Amino acid sequence: MSEDTLGSTPPPPPTPPEPPVRPPTPVTRKWHGPSLVWLVPIVALAVGVALLIRAVLSTGPQVTIDFHSASGLRPGKTEVRYKEVVVGRVEAVTLSEKRDHVQVTVRLDRSVSNIAVEDTRFWVVRPRIDTAGVSGIETLFSGAYIGVDAGESTKQKRHFTGLENPPFVLRGEPGRGFVLRTEDLGSLDVGSPILYKRNRVGRVVGYNLDPLIDELSVQIFIEAPYDKLVNSQTRFWNASGVEVSLNSSGLKVDTQTLASVISGGISFERPQGTQGLPPASDGSRFKLFSDRKSALAPPDGPPLRVRMVFDQSVRGLDIDAPVDFLGIEIGVIRAIRLDYDGKRKRFPVEVEAEIYPTRLGAVRDSMRQDGDDDKRRDTTLLQRLVQNGLRAQARTGNLLTGQMYVALDFPGKVQKAELDTSTAIPAIPTVPGTLADVQPQIAEIVAKVNKVPFDEIGRNLNETLAQANQAISQLRPEAQASLAEVRRTLQSVQETLQRADRSLLDPSAPIQRNAEQTLQDLQRAAQSLRVLTDYLQRHPESLLRGKPDDAKIPASPERR
């Protein structure tokens, strides 16, 4: 036995093993509803439905627009703009069944769903250069888009026909529109400018021809605030192109702005004293005159038709040529007809004109008789003027061009005549024109000159010269020697004159050099005499004492 075993305490009794730990028993609860596996799809479905509802609520109507071309239109990219605000987008571009146009499907925003009404207009905004100017430049970078002009109708519409060009007047644009009546459109076109003092204030927005009255109606739009310049007395005239008139009054050139020269235009102006009138109402109608002169002329009143029969040629007298009374234009020529006078067997020319008696002013008021019928009163006035010697005379207004006009004047000694009122149009008696008076005189002079026997004179002169030659050839030898001597003498005189010319007039001639030297000496002598005279005036005592010695020049410091 060992020492460790003898001296140590007995070992403790072994501990009994611990009982095994039993695992916890799970607590189970019984679920009576659907399985939670379906929760995720249900939530996803709810989110999808919410998004769908939101999309439906935020999506506007879908409209279809027909255009001739789909140039520049891209599905999903091309925008629809109203007043430069994006209100929709192109969804699809397809061809029509007949393939004659394209159908553009557009989805509008719900906020502007009310613009899809009957009178709404759509057009494609592209870069354009026309009579109205340059537009759509910004689309060069951003691409074309569809413009909208919202209508005012309450009737919904889903199918539209697009405009090929932008409308010239948008709804709500400030300004007013007017209508101009004219018989000739000239070079005017839609988009032509409206000018006031050569400043663009509006544009032509349309025109149409009324076949019933054979008259054109031109619709114009004056932008605000310039629309206030138009009142009931405003005059409009055609300012298209360059107006060059060459008539009996001479050459006249009138132009407006460069734009009106190219594309035509209309100008307007208010007559003096009418600036304070209230502005004209929207849609007022005015007359479009052909030029500024006729537009601003005072009111002519009703014209009076008259006839004038001339027995002379009226070459140079044209339609619209003026008719003046003592230099004042009171009418225009309307017709020129050739007639036949069977009694005289002549071919007179009948000229029909319109004269405006109101242009006579105070003359009309002082000589016109009382009455209510203005035409009868004007005819009576004309009759009285004819009794006092009034006659019509075709005169040349421009000698360069030969243009003629008709003058109503009192030529002086004329035969008594009356105003012919046997026809519906009274006839004013005429007298030959001034050129017509000169022509017979020229013809008479020419006739007298023709009577001069130039042929006989020529023959006699030839005979005389022949006789002179014959006489000279028959001279005696002494006479011929004398003639030769005379010839030599003349040659000697000619040579002498040539020598004198060289001696006197040639610049290098001695006489000229001597004369020039003498003149220079005289000039120097005159200068010396002038100096002497000046000196004697300052020193008269020198005549007795002589000229004093000149003052000595002081020595320089160096010499000292």
Side-chain angles (χ1 to χ4, degrees):
M1 178 178 293
S2 65
E3 295 178 2
D4 293 340
T5 305
L6 293 179
S8 62
T9 60
T15 59
E18 294 180 358
V21 180
R22 299 182 61 183
T25 304
V27 178
T28 58
R29 297 178 182 177
K30 191 175 182 180
W31 172 253
H32 300 286
S35 176
L36 294 179
V37 177
W38 293 99
L39 181 60
V40 174
I42 291 174
V43 172
L45 179 62
V47 173
V49 171
L51 293 176
L52 179 62
I53 295 174
R54 181 180 179 182
V56 171
L57 293 177
S58 62
T59 302
Q62 185 185 59
V63 298
T64 304
I65 311 170
D66 294 342
F67 290 108
H68 284 292
S69 172
S71 175
L73 302 180
R74 300 289 182 270
K77 295 183 178 179
T78 302
E79 299 172 342
V80 180
R81 300 182 186 180
Y82 174 60
K83 295 185 177 181
E84 298 303 323
V85 176
V86 179
V87 297
R89 197 172 296 274
V90 173
E91 291 185 343
V93 178
T94 58
L95 279 175
S96 64
E97 294 181 358
K98 296 183 180 179
R99 293 176 292 180
D100 56 347
H101 63 273
V102 296
Q103 292 181 335
V104 180
T105 304
V106 171
R107 176 68 68 180
L108 298 175
D109 294 344
R110 187 174 184 79
S111 60
V112 293
S113 60
N114 56 351
I115 68 172
V117 293
E118 193 175 37
D119 54 347
T120 295
R121 297 177 292 182
F122 296 89
W123 68 96
V124 179
V125 179
R126 303 187 185 96
R128 299 177 189 275
I129 300 177
D130 52 19
T131 57
V134 181
S135 61
I137 294 296
E138 69 278 4
T139 59
L140 289 174
F141 305 98
S142 62
Y145 63 89
I146 297 178
V148 182
D149 183 26
E152 299 175 350
S153 175
T154 58
K155 186 176 181 180
Q156 296 290 326
K157 188 177 180 181
R158 293 294 181 264
H159 191 193
F160 297 87
T161 301
L163 303 176
E164 294 303 317
N165 296 302
F168 287 93
V169 179
L170 299 177
R171 292 183 178 86
E173 185 175 357
R176 279 178 292 177
F178 305 99
V179 179
L180 306 181
R181 296 177 291 102
T182 181
E183 297 179 352
D184 187 7
L185 190 62
S187 58
L188 294 176
D189 201 353
V190 176
S192 296
I194 308 297
L195 305 173
Y196 179 75
K197 296 184 177 180
R198 301 181 189 273
N199 181 35
R200 178 170 182 147
V201 297
R203 55 195 179 274
V204 175
V205 296
Y207 58 85
N208 61 285
L209 175 64
D210 189 347
L212 298 178
I213 58 177
D214 193 17
E215 189 177 75
L216 283 160
S217 296
V218 182
Q219 293 85 33
I220 65 172
F221 183 78
I222 307 294
E223 302 166 358
Y226 308 110
D227 56 335
K228 297 180 181 177
L229 297 172
V230 181
N231 57 37
S232 58
Q233 297 300 319
T234 297
R235 307 296 178 85
F236 293 85
W237 69 89
N238 195 328
S240 303
V242 179
E243 181 182 352
V244 179
S245 59
L246 182 62
N247 50 31
S248 58
S249 301
L251 178 63
K252 182 180 179 181
V253 180
D254 190 12
T255 63
Q256 289 289 331
T257 63
L258 180 60
S260 65
V261 171
I262 298 174
S263 61
I266 295 174
S267 291
F268 69 91
E269 191 173 333
R270 295 175 296 179
Q272 293 292 334
T274 63
Q275 286 78 2
L277 295 177
S281 59
D282 191 11
S284 298
R285 302 177 70 86
F286 296 89
K287 180 180 179 181
L288 179 62
F289 293 89
S290 59
D291 52 28
R292 183 176 182 273
K293 179 182 177 182
S294 58
L296 299 182
D300 294 326
L304 178 63
R305 286 257 177 182
V306 295
R307 293 184 300 115
M308 296 158 286
V309 180
F310 295 97
D311 285 333
Q312 64 185 74
S313 172
V314 293
R315 183 181 178 85
L317 185 66
D318 299 326
I319 305 297
D320 294 335
V323 178
D324 71 19
F325 175 74
L326 300 178
I328 299 176
E329 187 173 326
I330 63 170
V332 292
I333 302 298
R334 293 304 185 192
I336 301 174
R337 294 183 290 268
L338 190 63
D339 199 359
Y340 176 70
D341 188 351
K343 295 181 180 179
R344 298 185 300 161
K345 296 183 178 179
R346 301 288 299 271
F347 297 90
V349 179
E350 183 179 277
V351 178
E352 188 173 323
E354 285 183 350
I355 62 175
Y356 301 93
T358 55
R359 295 186 183 181
L360 295 173
V363 176
R364 180 171 180 255
D365 298 335
S366 60
M367 298 185 64
R368 201 170 61 161
Q369 295 180 350
D370 298 334
D372 298 331
D373 191 349
D374 289 338
K375 183 178 179 181
R376 181 182 296 277
R377 294 168 63 189
D378 292 332
T379 304
T380 305
L381 169 63
L382 190 59
Q383 193 170 13
R384 294 179 60 185
L385 291 174
V386 171
Q387 291 174 352
N388 291 332
L390 180 72
R391 299 292 185 271
Q393 190 177 40
R395 294 179 179 175
T396 301
N398 193 318
L399 294 175
L400 181 63
T401 62
Q403 295 289 325
M404 300 183 69
Y405 68 99
V406 173
L408 300 181
D409 204 344
F410 300 91
K413 294 181 180 179
V414 293
Q415 295 180 355
K416 291 185 177 179
E418 295 289 340
L419 182 70
D420 185 7
T421 57
S422 59
T423 59
I425 302 176
I428 301 176
T430 62
V431 293
T434 53
L435 187 59
D437 292 338
V438 175
Q439 287 178 346
Q441 298 177 6
I442 297 175
E444 185 178 358
I445 294 173
V446 172
K448 290 181 179 178
V449 171
N450 288 333
K451 292 180 181 178
V452 177
F454 291 103
D455 296 338
E456 184 177 356
I457 292 174
R459 288 194 297 272
N460 294 336
L461 183 60
N462 290 333
E463 293 176 358
T464 302
L465 293 175
Q467 292 174 1
N469 291 331
Q470 185 178 3
I472 292 173
S473 62
Q474 293 177 357
L475 289 175
R476 294 181 178 180
E478 294 80 3
Q480 293 181 356
S482 300
L483 290 175
E485 186 66 25
V486 170
R487 188 181 299 109
R488 286 195 295 272
T489 302
L490 292 176
Q491 290 179 352
S492 177
V493 171
Q494 186 176 4
E495 293 175 356
T496 301
L497 292 176
Q498 291 177 353
R499 287 196 296 271
D501 184 40
R502 289 195 297 270
S503 301
L504 298 176
L505 303 179
D506 192 78
S508 60
I511 294 178
Q512 285 203 7
R513 291 201 304 272
N514 294 335
E516 185 178 358
Q517 184 65 32
T518 302
L519 290 175
Q520 291 178 356
D521 294 341
L522 289 175
Q523 186 177 6
R524 285 195 293 271
Q527 292 176 353
S528 301
L529 184 60
R530 187 180 303 110
V531 173
L532 177 61
T533 303
D534 295 340
Y535 181 80
L536 291 176
Q537 287 180 353
R538 293 193 302 271
H539 304 283
E541 69 278 4
S542 61
L543 291 173
L544 302 175
R545 300 176 181 176
K547 183 178 179 182
D549 297 335
D550 296 335
K552 294 183 178 178
I553 301 173
S556 61
E558 296 177 353
R559 291 183 178 180
R560 291 177 185 174

